[in-house]
Amino acid sequence: MHSVREPSNTVDLRQVRATLDLDRRLGLVPASAHVRGFFFKQTADEVARHGPGAVVAHRRLSPVKSTWFFRMYPVGAYLEDVAAAAAVLSPHDPPAAVRAIWSNGPRYAPLFNASRFLGLLGGDVASAAHWLETHRSYFADYGRWRMERLEDRYFIMHYFNEWIWVESAHRGGMEGLLQACGLRGTVEVDLDSPFDGRLHVRWRER
């Protein structure tokens, strides 16, 4: 899906950071905001799918060297790490790389409550999203999500003080959730600010 330039010196990390508006975001993220280590794991796994050259380049660019799956880490460190991955995977379109990384998120969520979450993935995407909303504290210790169910095949997920990109990361996560449930649908972004907004999630019958 994404091209990888193996020598890391061909990657313009400064341009990637500018495209992601990373430095401004980092300046606003509170030191008290943390995410679970599995976020780093899903990034590393996506990079590994692009071969050993991509892995080497990511490790060279990222300031994060090792993490534990269930431990909490500063959001700023995560943003730095995923931006480095985006620079390797898609330097000309880093938001697309972040979106692709997060589209694989549903494969990790079951590890927090396997029987419950796997049961919801029987096709009931709204119930799965509701589980994520109510168990958000498993993944992060800041901000808030709120799910609003409007129709049988349409809900909105609202994000408040969300430091990770709603328009790319969380959009990709919702798209991955639809796919994990075996559904075809759309995820539309509506932002009030870089850190507040909503995703409109719609899908069709099987």
Side-chain angles (χ1 to χ4, degrees), residues 48-194:
R49 278 189 279 274
H50 293 262
V55 173
V56 171
H58 176 228
R59 288 175 178 171
R60 191 175 302 160
L61 291 172
S62 176
V64 179
K65 301 309 176 187
S66 64
T67 58
W68 295 90
F69 196 89
F70 288 106
R71 185 176 174 181
M72 299 292 279
Y73 296 90
V75 173
Y78 170 71
L79 295 176
E80 292 272 13
D81 184 66
V82 76
V88 173
L89 299 179
S90 185
H92 300 297
D93 191 359
V98 175
R99 186 175 171 185
I101 289 167
W102 271 63
S103 69
N104 290 311
R107 75 174 62 190
Y108 300 97
L111 296 176
F112 294 92
N113 188 328
S115 59
R116 174 68 173 155
F117 197 80
L118 289 174
L120 294 176
L121 286 184
D124 189 353
V125 66
S127 293
H130 179 65
W131 184 95
L132 291 171
E133 174 206 15
T134 57
H135 294 81
R136 187 179 187 279
S137 60
Y138 287 4
F139 315 111
D141 62 3
Y142 66 89
R144 183 168 64 92
W145 301 345
R146 180 174 66 83
M147 180 181 171
E148 180 184 5
R149 185 72 180 264
L150 297 178
E151 300 173 5
D152 288 342
R153 294 185 296 279
Y154 171 34
F155 69 83
I156 300 174
M157 187 69 85
H158 299 266
Y159 298 86
F160 307 91
N161 295 323
E162 177 52 70
W163 304 111
I164 301 173
W165 300 274
V166 173
E167 67 277 21
S168 54
H170 289 281
R171 181 184 184 185
M174 280 296 177
E175 290 169 338
L177 186 60
L178 285 170
Q179 184 177 16
C181 290
L183 300 172
R184 292 186 177 182
T186 60
V187 180
E188 298 177 358
V189 182
D190 180 15
L191 293 180
D192 299 321
S193 77

